[in-house]
PDB file of all heavy atoms in Angstrom:
ATOM      1  N   ILE A 149      -7.274   6.130  -0.725  1.00 99.00           N
ATOM      2  CA  ILE A 149      -7.291   6.873  -1.983  1.00 99.00           C
ATOM      3  C   ILE A 149      -6.894   5.939  -3.123  1.00 99.00           C
ATOM      4  O   ILE A 149      -5.791   5.378  -3.117  1.00 99.00           O
ATOM      5  CB  ILE A 149      -6.328   8.074  -1.952  1.00 99.00           C
ATOM      6  CG1 ILE A 149      -6.619   8.988  -0.747  1.00 99.00           C
ATOM      7  CG2 ILE A 149      -6.405   8.857  -3.251  1.00 99.00           C
ATOM      8  CD1 ILE A 149      -5.593  10.096  -0.535  1.00 99.00           C
ATOM      9  N   VAL A 150      -7.786   5.753  -4.085  1.00 98.00           N
ATOM     10  CA  VAL A 150      -7.444   5.031  -5.305  1.00 98.00           C
ATOM     11  C   VAL A 150      -6.863   6.037  -6.293  1.00 98.00           C
ATOM     12  O   VAL A 150      -7.465   7.090  -6.538  1.00 98.00           O
ATOM     13  CB  VAL A 150      -8.668   4.314  -5.905  1.00 98.00           C
ATOM     14  CG1 VAL A 150      -8.313   3.712  -7.265  1.00 98.00           C
ATOM     15  CG2 VAL A 150      -9.156   3.224  -4.969  1.00 98.00           C
ATOM     16  N   VAL A 151      -5.698   5.712  -6.837  1.00 98.00           N
ATOM     17  CA  VAL A 151      -4.986   6.637  -7.719  1.00 98.00           C
ATOM     18  C   VAL A 151      -5.028   6.116  -9.151  1.00 98.00           C
ATOM     19  O   VAL A 151      -4.550   5.015  -9.433  1.00 98.00           O
ATOM     20  CB  VAL A 151      -3.523   6.814  -7.267  1.00 98.00           C
ATOM     21  CG1 VAL A 151      -2.817   7.840  -8.152  1.00 98.00           C
ATOM     22  CG2 VAL A 151      -3.457   7.251  -5.802  1.00 98.00           C
ATOM     23  N   GLY A 152      -5.619   6.911 -10.025  1.00 98.00           N
ATOM     24  CA  GLY A 152      -5.626   6.588 -11.440  1.00 98.00           C
ATOM     25  C   GLY A 152      -4.517   7.325 -12.161  1.00 98.00           C
ATOM     26  O   GLY A 152      -3.425   7.520 -11.616  1.00 98.00           O
ATOM     27  N   ASP A 153      -4.792   7.754 -13.381  1.00 98.00           N
ATOM     28  CA  ASP A 153      -3.809   8.484 -14.174  1.00 98.00           C
ATOM     29  C   ASP A 153      -3.643   9.877 -13.572  1.00 98.00           C
ATOM     30  O   ASP A 153      -4.515  10.737 -13.699  1.00 98.00           O
ATOM     31  CB  ASP A 153      -4.299   8.569 -15.623  1.00 98.00           C
ATOM     32  CG  ASP A 153      -3.238   9.133 -16.563  1.00 98.00           C
ATOM     33  OD1 ASP A 153      -2.212   9.633 -16.067  1.00 98.00           O
ATOM     34  OD2 ASP A 153      -3.445   9.076 -17.780  1.00 98.00           O
ATOM     35  N   ALA A 154      -2.527  10.066 -12.873  1.00 98.00           N
ATOM     36  CA  ALA A 154      -2.282  11.332 -12.187  1.00 98.00           C
ATOM     37  C   ALA A 154      -0.785  11.615 -12.217  1.00 98.00           C
ATOM     38  O   ALA A 154       0.030  10.693 -12.077  1.00 98.00           O
ATOM     39  CB  ALA A 154      -2.781  11.269 -10.742  1.00 98.00           C
ATOM     40  N   SER A 155      -0.419  12.861 -12.388  1.00 98.00           N
ATOM     41  CA  SER A 155       0.995  13.216 -12.452  1.00 98.00           C
ATOM     42  C   SER A 155       1.654  13.066 -11.085  1.00 98.00           C
ATOM     43  O   SER A 155       0.973  13.131 -10.047  1.00 98.00           O
ATOM     44  CB  SER A 155       1.154  14.655 -12.931  1.00 98.00           C
ATOM     45  OG  SER A 155       0.755  15.564 -11.908  1.00 98.00           O
ATOM     46  N   PRO A 156       2.977  12.874 -11.056  1.00 98.00           N
ATOM     47  CA  PRO A 156       3.666  12.828  -9.764  1.00 98.00           C
ATOM     48  C   PRO A 156       3.403  14.068  -8.913  1.00 98.00           C
ATOM     49  O   PRO A 156       3.234  13.963  -7.700  1.00 98.00           O
ATOM     50  CB  PRO A 156       5.142  12.717 -10.158  1.00 98.00           C
ATOM     51  CG  PRO A 156       5.133  12.065 -11.499  1.00 98.00           C
ATOM     52  CD  PRO A 156       3.893  12.578 -12.174  1.00 98.00           C
ATOM     53  N   LEU A 157       3.335  15.226  -9.553  1.00 98.00           N
ATOM     54  CA  LEU A 157       3.101  16.460  -8.804  1.00 98.00           C
ATOM     55  C   LEU A 157       1.708  16.495  -8.199  1.00 98.00           C
ATOM     56  O   LEU A 157       1.517  16.969  -7.070  1.00 98.00           O
ATOM     57  CB  LEU A 157       3.318  17.678  -9.705  1.00 98.00           C
ATOM     58  CG  LEU A 157       4.768  17.968 -10.090  1.00 98.00           C
ATOM     59  CD1 LEU A 157       4.833  19.106 -11.101  1.00 98.00           C
ATOM     60  CD2 LEU A 157       5.607  18.303  -8.858  1.00 98.00           C
ATOM     61  N   ALA A 158       0.721  15.995  -8.949  1.00 98.00           N
ATOM     62  CA  ALA A 158      -0.655  15.977  -8.439  1.00 98.00           C
ATOM     63  C   ALA A 158      -0.779  15.061  -7.226  1.00 98.00           C
ATOM     64  O   ALA A 158      -1.442  15.404  -6.230  1.00 98.00           O
ATOM     65  CB  ALA A 158      -1.613  15.529  -9.545  1.00 98.00           C
ATOM     66  N   VAL A 159      -0.152  13.893  -7.301  1.00 98.00           N
ATOM     67  CA  VAL A 159      -0.185  12.957  -6.170  1.00 98.00           C
ATOM     68  C   VAL A 159       0.615  13.521  -4.999  1.00 98.00           C
ATOM     69  O   VAL A 159       0.189  13.456  -3.842  1.00 98.00           O
ATOM     70  CB  VAL A 159       0.356  11.574  -6.593  1.00 98.00           C
ATOM     71  CG1 VAL A 159       0.380  10.621  -5.398  1.00 98.00           C
ATOM     72  CG2 VAL A 159      -0.498  10.990  -7.718  1.00 98.00           C
ATOM     73  N   ALA A 160       1.773  14.103  -5.306  1.00 98.00           N
ATOM     74  CA  ALA A 160       2.624  14.663  -4.256  1.00 98.00           C
ATOM     75  C   ALA A 160       1.902  15.773  -3.490  1.00 98.00           C
ATOM     76  O   ALA A 160       2.045  15.893  -2.265  1.00 98.00           O
ATOM     77  CB  ALA A 160       3.919  15.199  -4.863  1.00 98.00           C
ATOM     78  N   GLU A 161       1.122  16.570  -4.196  1.00 98.00           N
ATOM     79  CA  GLU A 161       0.389  17.665  -3.544  1.00 98.00           C
ATOM     80  C   GLU A 161      -0.564  17.128  -2.480  1.00 98.00           C
ATOM     81  O   GLU A 161      -0.662  17.685  -1.366  1.00 98.00           O
ATOM     82  CB  GLU A 161      -0.379  18.464  -4.598  1.00 98.00           C
ATOM     83  CG  GLU A 161      -1.096  19.678  -4.031  1.00 98.00           C
ATOM     84  CD  GLU A 161      -1.875  20.451  -5.084  1.00 98.00           C
ATOM     85  OE1 GLU A 161      -2.285  19.839  -6.098  1.00 98.00           O
ATOM     86  OE2 GLU A 161      -2.080  21.658  -4.883  1.00 98.00           O
ATOM     87  N   VAL A 162      -1.241  16.050  -2.787  1.00 98.00           N
ATOM     88  CA  VAL A 162      -2.179  15.456  -1.825  1.00 98.00           C
ATOM     89  C   VAL A 162      -1.420  14.836  -0.656  1.00 98.00           C
ATOM     90  O   VAL A 162      -1.800  14.998   0.510  1.00 98.00           O
ATOM     91  CB  VAL A 162      -3.065  14.405  -2.534  1.00 98.00           C
ATOM     92  CG1 VAL A 162      -3.853  13.590  -1.521  1.00 98.00           C
ATOM     93  CG2 VAL A 162      -3.999  15.092  -3.518  1.00 98.00           C
ATOM     94  N   ILE A 163      -0.333  14.124  -0.949  1.00 98.00           N
ATOM     95  CA  ILE A 163       0.467  13.516   0.130  1.00 98.00           C
ATOM     96  C   ILE A 163       1.007  14.595   1.058  1.00 98.00           C
ATOM     97  O   ILE A 163       0.962  14.454   2.286  1.00 98.00           O
ATOM     98  CB  ILE A 163       1.596  12.661  -0.460  1.00 98.00           C
ATOM     99  CG1 ILE A 163       1.035  11.417  -1.155  1.00 98.00           C
ATOM    100  CG2 ILE A 163       2.586  12.249   0.637  1.00 98.00           C
ATOM    101  CD1 ILE A 163       2.064  10.596  -1.905  1.00 98.00           C
TER     102      ILE A 163
END
Side-chain angles (χ1 to χ4, degrees):
I149 306 172
V150 173
V151 183
D153 189 350
S155 72
L157 289 174
V159 177
E161 184 181 26
V162 169
I163 291 173

